[in-house]
Amino acid sequence: MKVMKGIILGSAAMFVGGGAQAADLPVKAKAIEYVKVCSLYGAGFYYIPGTDTCIKLGGYLRVNAVLGSNADFDFASSGVGGAHNRLSNYYTTKARQDLRIDTRTATEYGVVRTFAELVFSWTTGGYTGAGTSGVNGATTYTSSTSGQIAGGSLGVYYAFIQFAGFTFGKAESQFRTPWAEYPANNIELPGSAGWDPVNQVSYTADFGQGITATISAQDQVQNYTTNIWNVSGATAAVLATGAYGANDIGGTRAPDLVARVRVDQAWGLFQASFAAHDNHAAYYGASEPTDHPGDKWGWAGQLALSIKNLPTGAGDTINLTGVYANGASRYVFNDYMTTNYAIYGGTNVAGAYQSLGIAGISDSVFVTGAGQQLTTTYGFNGGYTHNWDPYWNTSIFGAWAAVRYNDTAKGYICGAFVANLALSSGLGGCNPDFNYAVVGTATAWTPVKNLTFTGELAYMMLDQKYAGGSTVTLPLQSGIAKPATVYELKDQNSLVLLLRAQRNF
């Protein structure tokens, strides 16, 4: 019996193997790798365990409500927003979660950095008219309100690598200032390049004492292109929306070429920027044999100044920007802003149903068989922020910008107006030039660190240049419920109130 018992126990030991023996022996516990603070690159960085790479996570959660607009950051200046009727939103809301991931690694060539910023947003939608005959009063929900994405969406703001002075990927345009179109505000202002990052390859030389120079080749497809209009394709329906023809942008042939010089010191910042922009149109008609206009290069120049340490209070700042462009209008009217304006209001002109402020922004215009005519734009913006105490601050801000078409372009556009919209004053009273201005103020309260509540009031003015009392005859626009009748061409305005709660981390 004892022999049999020994055989059974021995066999069991064979099946269990070394695991049973190891369980009976003391095992040295694996060292725990604690997350260590990385003090090389500022507060908030930690070493990724097992590596020499430091990482920082951050972001914000923001909730906006904009009263008086169908857009989150823009005015009620087009579509159902500009219609000012029962289809227009009295308010639009957005909730957004932002996540930033910043890594740094020290190498023999300097620091290698990667940075990404991802956003998850939810935005109010809107309704447009669905009827096409003028009888059906149905509406259709749309997930796009003046260019703002409605419903749930994922956005990639930044995604770039920096190494030895080079930047590769989606980063801020080297043309823009640190404050972009936000000198002291949140509502969109013209008069400077936009905030939106763009794909690029850039090199920055650092001369010390805050002096840098940068050259860059950046993507131009969306952020820095407005419209290239073939006015021969203009119809009554298209002109009624503020578009002066068929948009005829072709594929990319060259990136935007950007150069910048910046001085960033304790007193503030000075910056000079220059950009060259290729305007590449598609075809005059629907197919290749119809031919096409030749490319034309446009350009933009910008000067900016920021003044800190003002005698009015600790942390007070003044930011100023001025820009001039020819054939590169997005450097004046940023990509969050609409490029087609159609704002309706009241009228005192006999026989007119309502008044209409109509305007359009382009990089160039042409007609079939002719070359491109570049559009000139220029403007400025500025803002002053005063800190009352560590918890409260108030800002005032303003902007003014202009769009100017040359005589040839005006002839194209006005001919289309007379032929399609029966402009009452004829060619003599037609002028598609316009000015755009904004003034406003904002007050922010920060009751605890990194939690801020903001109220911002802004007033926009569209100054169109058509002769006083001029009228146009528009077709039925079922999407915004506007009837086919006579409208007076007149200056318009828009007032919006932005309310915001934001928690940074």
Side-chain angles (χ1 to χ4, degrees):
M1 180 63 69
K2 290 182 178 180
V3 174
M4 183 62 68
K5 183 177 181 180
I7 293 173
I8 294 172
L9 292 174
S11 300
M14 290 176 63
F15 283 109
V16 174
Q21 297 177 27
D24 296 331
L25 298 175
V27 179
K28 184 178 180 181
K30 185 179 181 180
I32 299 174
E33 293 191 48
Y34 293 98
V35 176
K36 297 184 295 184
V37 172
C38 175
S39 58
L40 297 174
Y41 310 110
F45 281 92
Y46 296 86
Y47 283 100
I48 299 174
T51 75
D52 59 354
T53 297
C54 300
I55 188 170
K56 180 180 180 179
L57 301 177
Y60 62 82
L61 197 153
R62 172 190 296 165
V63 180
N64 286 349
V66 178
L67 281 65
S69 179
N70 276 60
D72 182 47
F73 289 105
D74 205 358
F75 295 89
S77 52
S78 63
V80 291
H84 293 142
N85 60 17
R86 294 185 65 83
L87 298 180
S88 308
N89 284 348
Y90 277 10
Y91 67 91
T92 297
T93 63
K94 178 189 286 288
R96 169 177 290 168
Q97 173 65 69
D98 175 282
L99 174 63
R100 299 167 182 160
I101 307 169
D102 192 348
T103 72
R104 317 278 180 98
T105 306
T107 74
E108 58 184 305
Y109 298 99
V111 175
V112 177
R113 182 192 185 198
T114 69
F115 185 85
E117 184 172 359
L118 312 176
V119 291
F120 307 88
S121 303
W122 183 270
T123 309
T124 301
Y127 289 86
T128 59
T132 57
S133 65
V135 177
N136 183 357
T139 60
T140 300
Y141 180 80
T142 175
S143 61
S144 178
T145 52
S146 299
Q148 302 296 321
I149 297 175
S153 64
L154 169 65
V156 180
Y157 280 169
Y158 292 91
F160 64 81
I161 300 169
Q162 288 182 322
F163 173 68
F166 287 93
T167 298
F168 308 92
K170 193 178 184 187
E172 69 174 64
S173 169
Q174 304 303 319
F175 188 91
R176 79 169 219 201
T177 65
W179 57 89
E181 70 267 39
Y182 308 113
N185 54 287
N186 297 296
I187 296 294
E188 300 305 314
L189 298 184
S192 69
W195 173 88
D196 261 354
V198 60
N199 281 337
Q200 63 189 267
V201 177
S202 303
Y203 178 74
T204 299
D206 190 338
F207 300 102
Q209 297 183 333
I211 302 174
T212 59
T214 302
I215 56 174
S216 176
Q218 70 178 38
D219 191 6
Q220 63 153 256
V221 175
Q222 181 180 10
N223 290 21
Y224 288 91
T225 300
T226 58
N227 300 289
I228 298 177
W229 279 320
N230 182 349
V231 184
S232 296
T235 64
V238 167
L239 290 167
T241 66
Y244 293 158
N247 204 355
D248 198 30
I249 299 173
T252 57
R253 289 299 180 270
D256 281 14
L257 305 177
V258 177
R260 180 185 75 190
V261 176
R262 179 182 288 178
V263 179
D264 192 348
Q265 298 178 344
W267 58 265
L269 176 147
F270 170 78
Q271 177 177 314
S273 309
F274 177 85
H277 174 83
D278 178 40
N279 291 289
H280 177 75
Y283 298 99
Y284 290 129
S287 62
E288 295 172 356
T290 61
D291 206 0
H292 58 81
D295 286 21
K296 270 198 174 182
W297 280 83
W299 62 273
Q302 178 176 265
L303 295 176
L305 178 67
S306 179
I307 304 174
K308 305 175 184 177
N309 302 319
L310 297 171
T312 53
D316 289 9
T317 57
I318 294 176
N319 295 322
L320 301 169
T321 310
V323 61
Y324 186 98
N326 183 241
S329 298
R330 271 296 183 214
Y331 290 92
V332 180
F333 291 84
N334 67 81
D335 67 307
Y336 275 91
M337 300 179 66
T338 183
T339 59
N340 305 337
Y341 298 91
I343 309 175
Y344 291 82
T347 183
N348 293 319
V349 172
Y353 173 71
Q354 287 181 336
S355 64
L356 169 64
I358 192 169
I361 305 170
S362 65
D363 291 335
S364 71
V365 301
F366 64 93
V367 294
T368 298
Q372 297 185 64
Q373 302 295 318
L374 299 184
T375 304
T376 297
T377 54
Y378 48 90
F380 65 88
N381 63 45
Y384 165 65
T385 301
H386 172 64
N387 294 277
W388 301 101
D389 57 37
Y391 309 102
W392 290 89
N393 69 65
T394 297
S395 66
I396 55 174
F397 54 87
W400 179 89
V403 175
R404 298 291 184 263
Y405 293 94
N406 65 30
D407 290 342
T408 301
K410 287 179 180 177
Y412 296 160
I413 295 169
C414 291
F417 262 77
V418 172
N420 292 279
L421 299 184
L423 181 67
S424 65
S425 55
L427 295 178
C430 177
N431 187 350
D433 294 347
F434 71 94
N435 301 326
Y436 182 107
V438 179
V439 294
T441 183
T443 294
W445 174 47
T446 305
V448 297
K449 185 178 180 181
N450 293 329
L451 176 64
T452 302
F453 299 91
T454 305
E456 180 172 327
L457 187 67
Y459 182 73
M460 179 271 281
M461 294 154 281
L462 179 68
D463 174 23
Q464 54 87 48
K465 300 299 181 182
Y466 296 100
S470 297
T471 62
V472 289
T473 302
L474 303 187
L476 169 68
Q477 299 175 80
S478 58
I480 59 174
K482 292 299 181 183
T485 188
V486 175
Y487 294 82
E488 176 196 7
L489 293 177
K490 184 180 178 182
D491 298 348
Q492 302 290 338
N493 53 66
S494 180
L495 179 68
V496 298
L497 173 65
L498 169 67
L499 303 175
R500 168 177 291 178
Q502 180 164 322
R503 166 73 162 126
N504 298 328
F505 60 89

